[in-house]
Structures are given as structure tokens and as C-alpha cells.
Amino acid sequence: MKCSYCNRNAVYFQRYSGKHFCKKHFINFFEKKVRGVIKKYEMIKSGDVIAIALSGGKDSVTLTNFLLEQYGGRRDLDFFAITIDEGIANYREKTLIVAEKVTKALGIEHYVVSFKDNFGTTLDEMVRVGEKLPCTYCGVMRKYLLNRTARELSATKLATAHNLDDEAQTILMNFINADIDRLARLIPQREQEGLVMRIKPFREVYEKEVVIYGFLKGYELIFDECPYSELPVRAPIRDFIYEFEKEHPGRKISILRSLEKLSDCLKMTNPQIDLKRCEICREPTSQNICQTCKLISELSGKIAVKYCKSLVYNRKPRL
Ligand code: SF4
Ligand SMILES: [Zn+2]
Ligand SMILES: [Zn+2]
């Protein structure tokens, strides 16, 4: 099959648009699309210090390379990477090595922040004794460490590699759970003290397209899945959206657009509230005790866990 834009052979067929792309035109499409999204949502502004959440998995490796290649030459921007080591045996070690290599090659600083150093124990241990699902501990505590590290290192933005598939799953899951508060939090709102503003440059491109772009650009991508990723919660929703998209291409983007159409209404029904400070760790929270400290309280007595009173990472602060 030939590319829809030139005479070369196509490497990718985009079902929702009916277009075929050769390598060159796919790379052009992807870069233009993502740069357009960054501009549309004003994700990057002059003077920004951007912390990149780099797990070392395929999506975040592609994001880190993309941001540095596209924006790294700008003198009014600064970048560094943060990797959270949750302590997931036979998985995180490999992605940590990749993250180290990527940051070295790109010449940016790399901070590794572990559950073990900051909470006294690993995710594997929490899962062994705790009653919650692994992704609950992981999601809450990783977000906590990412925000706290980015803020302590003076970042103005925290970039994550969430793609259209992730966004569509989250939106639908919140609908299904009637969790409208969480749904409202997906809409970019005003800045809040203590929280570094999160940006998701890949939010309008398919996971598949992120991988194809990374592959065509020759980045080192590893495809290992977290051993906990197949546990129930997200998997059925992911599979449902996959099947639906197969029959009706373009539905993932419609899910995102539906949220955007509802955004004004959600801002009225669920206005952003001013955050308090957690009574234990002083991090921003909507309640008296933050989610992370609540999880630590539940686990204490079962394993040696600790509240994160001051952050520990692998190198001296950059500033
Ligand atoms: S699948 Fe769950 S446990 Fe594994 S890295 Fe993702 S959030 Fe964490
Ligand atoms: Zn072409
Ligand atoms: Zn707390």
C-alpha cells in the first residue's frame, strides 16, 4: 500500500482517518499533532522548568526524547527527569536502566525516588500485606512522590506520557463509577498551591501511534508489562474500548471530546476547592490527612512503613 501523501510504501494505516502513512509522513503527522496539542492547551510557556515523569517504559522514553528533540534547543526552557522506583521485582530494574541511559544521552538530570527510601518499604511488600489493589498503592504514592519531587526541584510543569487510550479509559471508568469529582479533575483548571501543573502532551494520540513513532525514530523501547497490570479494574474497560474502536474507529477521541464538551458544566457543578495541608506530611490535600498518609497508616503495624517527612532522592538538588 502506498502513502496517502507520496509515492513511498506505507508503514501505518490510520483507521479513523482512512489515511496511509510512509515513515516520513507519519513522523511529520505525529510531531505536528503533538506540537498542536501542546499549543492548544498552552502546556509549555517561556520560562518553564519541565520535570518529565520517566518510568523508562516505551511511552515515557518516547515522551522524553520527543520533548528534548522538539523543545530542548530553547534557551527559555529547562528539563529534567524523575523516575519513581516503586520496588516491583523483575520489572522496574530494567526500566530504570533504560531511563538512566536516555537521560545520559540527552544530557538532562535524572532523579530516582524510591518507595523504599521514602516510605520504608517496597510496593511488592505493601501488596503482600495490604488489602488494597497494587495499582491503588502505586497510583496514589507515585503521584505523591512525583509532585513532591517536581515541586522541591522548582519545576513549573510535570509532563507525563498519558496517551489517548489512557485518557479514554480514565474518563469512562469515572463515568461507570459515577465518580464525577474525579472526572472534573481531568479538566485543566487553575493552578493550586503545592501542586505542580501536570501536562500530557500525548493525550490526543493513540498508544499505538506513540509506539510506532518511538520505533521509527529508533528509541530504545522495552515492552515489558508491569506484573500487576492484568489485575481487574482497568483491564475490562481497556478491552471494551479496544473492541469498540475496532468496530467504530475514532471512538477514543470522541470520549475525550465528550469530556471537553462537558467541561464548562463540570466546572460549575464541581468547582475546584482550595487545598489544605496534610496534618502529617504537610503535602496538599483536600482532606485533613492525605491519601498517601492514610495508606501508610493502614499498613503500619503490618510492615515497617514510615511517613515521608522529608524527601530522599539519588542526587543533590539541582538548584
Ligand atoms: S500497573 Fe499498577 S502497579 Fe503496575 S506500574 Fe501501573 S499503576 Fe503501578
Ligand atoms: Zn509519504
Ligand atoms: Zn500526608
Side-chain angles (χ1 to χ4, degrees):
M1 199 57 80
K2 293 285 178 200
C3 172
S4 304
Y5 298 94
C6 73
N7 231 352
R8 293 188 200 92
N9 287 333
V11 293
Y12 175 57
F13 174 55
Q14 195 173 50
R15 293 191 68 220
Y16 73 88
S17 68
K19 285 180 183 146
H20 295 270
F21 291 89
C22 68
K23 175 178 174 181
K24 175 176 167 234
H25 283 109
F26 179 76
I27 289 175
N28 283 353
F29 153 79
F30 186 93
E31 291 175 352
K32 200 169 157 212
K33 173 88 188 171
V34 178
R35 288 186 71 103
V37 170
I38 289 174
K39 201 164 168 209
K40 178 169 126 190
Y41 296 99
E42 298 180 331
M43 291 181 184
I44 297 180
K45 287 189 187 155
S46 182
D48 270 337
V49 178
I50 301 173
I52 306 170
L54 171 65
S55 68
K58 56 190 180 358
D59 296 349
S60 66
V61 164
T62 302
L63 176 70
T64 308
N65 279 289
F66 177 90
L67 288 175
L68 268 296
E69 280 175 23
Q70 297 292 317
Y71 299 90
R74 276 180 50 175
R75 290 174 152 210
D76 59 338
L77 299 174
D78 196 4
F79 294 87
F80 66 92
I82 306 172
T83 304
I84 306 299
D85 177 5
E86 306 91 346
I88 305 173
N90 302 319
Y91 170 66
R92 189 50 81 215
E93 302 92 333
K94 289 184 217 161
T95 64
L96 265 168
I97 294 170
V98 175
E100 194 63 52
K101 270 202 227 168
V102 169
T103 49
K104 224 178 224 167
L106 292 169
I108 56 170
E109 285 179 328
H110 183 210
Y111 293 85
V112 180
V113 189
S114 73
F115 276 25
K116 179 87 180 150
D117 287 342
N118 288 287
F119 303 126
T121 189
T122 62
L123 179 66
D124 285 342
E125 275 299 296
M126 293 181 194
V127 171
R128 194 176 60 77
V129 299
E131 281 156 20
K132 302 251 171 8
L133 287 169
C135 299
T136 303
Y137 296 113
C138 183
V140 169
M141 294 173 160
R142 186 175 26 157
K143 223 183 258 176
Y144 176 98
L145 289 180
L146 276 173
N147 182 66
R148 194 162 167 176
T149 310
R151 194 190 63 232
E152 281 198 6
L153 298 171
S154 305
T156 54
K157 302 277 165 63
L158 174 60
T160 63
H162 291 95
N163 53 52
L164 180 56
D165 298 55
D166 299 321
E167 291 293 273
Q169 284 165 28
T170 310
I171 294 167
L172 213 57
M173 199 158 77
N174 290 331
F175 260 119
I176 289 170
N177 292 335
D179 196 342
I180 305 303
D181 279 352
R182 273 220 178 116
L183 194 67
R185 271 185 251 144
L186 293 173
I187 301 166
Q189 300 193 344
R190 67 179 159 82
E191 288 181 36
Q192 287 191 295
E193 212 207 316
L195 286 185
V196 179
M197 190 170 271
R198 293 223 284 162
I199 56 169
K200 301 172 185 173
F202 290 165
R203 78 192 293 262
E204 294 198 12
V205 282
Y206 287 73
E207 181 177 23
K208 188 167 58 179
E209 293 179 342
V210 173
V211 175
I212 293 172
Y213 177 79
F215 176 76
L216 292 176
K217 293 283 289 184
Y219 304 147
E220 180 171 350
L221 306 183
I222 53 172
F223 288 81
D224 296 26
E225 291 275 348
C226 168
Y228 299 121
S229 66
E230 281 310 315
L231 287 171
V233 179
R234 259 178 187 252
I237 289 172
R238 181 194 60 201
D239 296 347
F240 162 74
I241 297 177
Y242 174 81
E243 288 302 324
F244 201 57
E245 175 79 26
K246 213 161 78 181
E247 292 299 316
H248 309 281
R251 292 310 97 185
K252 287 178 191 168
I253 196 79
S254 322
I255 295 174
L256 195 67
R257 295 284 173 257
S258 297
L259 177 69
E260 285 173 0
K261 286 184 182 172
L262 283 173
S263 71
D264 285 344
C265 169
L266 285 171
K267 278 182 193 168
M268 275 195 286
T269 55
N270 295 63
Q272 217 171 16
I273 52 162
D274 285 327
L275 296 175
K276 304 174 202 169
R277 291 281 168 168
C278 170
E279 287 170 9
I280 299 172
C281 71
R282 310 301 303 155
E283 283 300 293
T285 172
S286 55
Q287 286 145 6
N288 294 334
I289 308 283
C290 76
Q291 283 295 103
T292 294
C293 288
K294 278 186 193 158
L295 290 175
I296 297 287
S297 302
E298 280 172 30
L299 290 166
S300 62
K302 295 179 184 163
I303 37 171
V305 282
K306 59 171 183 167
Y307 297 106
C308 182
K309 293 279 171 62
S310 59
L311 211 53
V312 181
Y313 30 75
N314 65 326
R315 60 194 300 159
K316 284 204 182 102
R318 54 198 297 279
L319 296 168

